[in-house]
């Protein structure tokens, strides 16, 4: 999604405990097992700000959902950006991160 000219990634995920989870391991599986779901989701993201007087949102990739490998790369990249911001390697600009605390998280992402 391109929100006011900036990339605003959206991730479509499913709870591993959902009964559909075994059948939905990549985005192509969604159209196969839930026809129309992706189209309806794109349409919703396109118009959800219109009632507030904002224009319709635009999409990169012509609104086409990307696959699991692409999503994983974006997830890792944004995590690395966040981590660099939190440990001071990136300038926070006007963003106040002084009250953000992440100590001893239950799970950690691998640096890979």
């Amino acid at each position: 999604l391109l929100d006011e000219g900036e990339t605003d990634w959206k991730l479509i995920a499913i709870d591993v405990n959902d009964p559909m989870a075994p059948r939905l391991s990549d985005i192509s599986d969604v159209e196969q097992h839930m026809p129309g779901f992706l189209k309806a989701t794109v349409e919703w993201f396109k118009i959800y700000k219109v009632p507030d007087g904002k224009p319709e949102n635009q999409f990169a990739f012509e609104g086409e959902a990307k696959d699991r490998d692409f999503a994983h790369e974006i997830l890792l990249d944004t995590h690395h950006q966040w981590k660099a911001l939190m440990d001071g390697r990136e300038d926070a600009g006007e963003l106040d991160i002084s009250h953000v605390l992440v100590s001893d998280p239950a799970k950690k992402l691998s640096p890979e």
Side-chain angles (χ1 to χ4, degrees), residues 9-77:
W9 294 109
K10 303 299 181 197
L11 180 69
I12 296 175
I14 188 166
D15 185 321
V16 296
N17 296 313
D18 188 294
M20 290 288 293
R23 291 177 279 197
L24 303 174
S25 64
D26 208 339
I27 201 69
S28 60
D29 299 331
V30 176
E31 189 60 33
Q32 179 183 353
H33 296 288
M34 302 172 71
F37 177 82
L38 293 175
K39 183 178 179 181
T41 302
V42 168
E43 184 64 18
W44 185 86
F45 277 115
K46 180 178 180 180
I47 64 171
Y48 82 104
K49 291 186 177 183
V50 171
D52 293 333
K54 295 184 179 181
E56 290 183 353
N57 284 316
Q58 302 300 311
F59 294 86
F61 311 110
E62 298 179 9
E64 182 180 333
K66 305 305 279 179
D67 66 14
R68 178 179 56 194
D69 291 338
F70 184 91
H72 189 247
E73 287 300 316
I74 296 299
L75 186 64
L76 287 175
D77 185 49

